[in-house]
Amino acid sequence: MKRDLLKSILFLFLLSGCDSNHSESKTDNDHIKTVTIVNNEDSSFNVELDRVSSLISRFPNNPDYYHERATVRLKFNKLEGSLQDLKAALILDTNNAQLYLTLAEIYVKMNLGKSAIESVDRALSVNPKYAPALIKKGEFLYYRKEYDRAFKAINDGLKIDVTNPKAYFWKGMIYKDQGNKAKAISSFQTAIEQDPDYVDAYLQLGLLFSGTDEKLAYNYLKNVLRIQPKNDKALYAMAYSSQTRGLLDSAKADYKRILVYLPNDNSVNYNLAYINMLQDSFGVAVSYLSKVIQVDSMNADAWFYRGLCYQKLGKTSSAETDINEAKSIKPGIILNLPKQEQKSK
């Protein structure tokens, strides 16, 4: 398995990565997955919901409490209830730009892009100098690759609020798309200066430094895990960073942390198999490759590598069966067992 193969696996795994902690997902954009413990989520949701609902019972004509309950429901992906609460708030207050911006965020999560854009425009019609709406408009324009218009909207927002971390994040994303790495890094660094817990800015910095300054990349990714200990994108990137530097035990530890809550992730199982083959732990490698095959029975490389592992283990019949299966899926396949690389100093 070659380094460029590992990079392609990393790219596919990390084909996400925008503003998971600070914005909501769209159907056609990149976002960071995070995994949470369902039971704890339900408990937290019920506590927050009961608190705000009691306020609404006492003050049924206060739009702020409906808005607060809408944001609670949005936080926990209770989208229909969130939308109902937000509409109730708008009945009570039709001239609140913040309400329309929250409505846009709900529509984004519901994959209603047109409605989301219309809501941002409505927010700006109510208050043309509402910085969060200008920056959100810039974000939407970024997704449409209208970079010049996106820059204008974001910069207009910064004229009103120079400390807004989202503005710098989205400028960084534009620069990154345009291939201006230096300006992208500068923007992401400014974002975390404004918000030291900005997960996605740390993640982007980790990815940008990966391959050029692995230690710095690793430190940025550690900050992601400081804030979101189960962020699988950061764990994968850290594991990959360790793997490419020959720090195989560290890489294995990070990959295994992902498997705790994503046990059937093929990229992780495949790379764990690869590392164990490097370390001549062929029996362990077989177990990981078997998981890959269970999920994707057409993965010729997994069949072939498992066959080679069986050869090393002296299981000739199993080896022949697996290698023949690989060749039936991918005629002409030729792979060699990987060799241990020298650890970086």
Side-chain angles (χ1 to χ4, degrees), residues 124-135:
L124 290 171
S125 70
V126 170
N127 183 356
K129 294 187 177 182
Y130 186 46
L134 287 165
I135 294 162

Side-chain angles (χ1 to χ4, degrees), residues 151 155 167-191 201 204-205 208-209:
F151 266 131
N155 286 331
Y168 297 106
F169 177 83
W170 290 109
K171 288 184 74 169
M173 292 303 297
I174 295 170
Y175 285 131
K176 181 182 176 184
D177 275 16
Q178 293 179 330
N180 194 329
K181 183 176 178 180
K183 286 190 175 181
I185 288 171
S186 177
S187 295
F188 293 135
Q189 288 174 333
T190 304
Q204 290 298 326
L205 286 165
L208 284 169
F209 280 106

Side-chain angles (χ1 to χ4, degrees), residues 196-210:
D197 289 339
Y198 206 141
V199 167
D200 293 327
Y202 283 116
L203 182 56
Q204 290 298 326
L205 286 165
L207 298 179
L208 284 169
F209 280 106
S210 180

Side-chain angles (χ1 to χ4, degrees), residues 5 48 100-101 124 146 241 267:
L5 173 60
E48 292 192 45
Y100 289 108
L101 190 60
L124 290 171
E146 297 182 39
S241 175
S267 295

Side-chain angles (χ1 to χ4, degrees), residues 199 202-203 206 214-229 231 234-235 237-238 245 250 254 257:
V199 167
Y202 283 116
L203 182 56
E214 292 292 351
K215 289 184 178 180
L216 184 56
Y218 197 87
N219 285 334
Y220 278 124
L221 295 168
K222 281 176 67 178
N223 272 292
V224 176
L225 298 179
R226 170 180 61 82
I227 304 158
Q228 292 181 354
N231 188 302
L235 283 169
M238 288 175 69
R245 288 183 291 151
S250 177
D254 285 333
R257 287 172 66 184

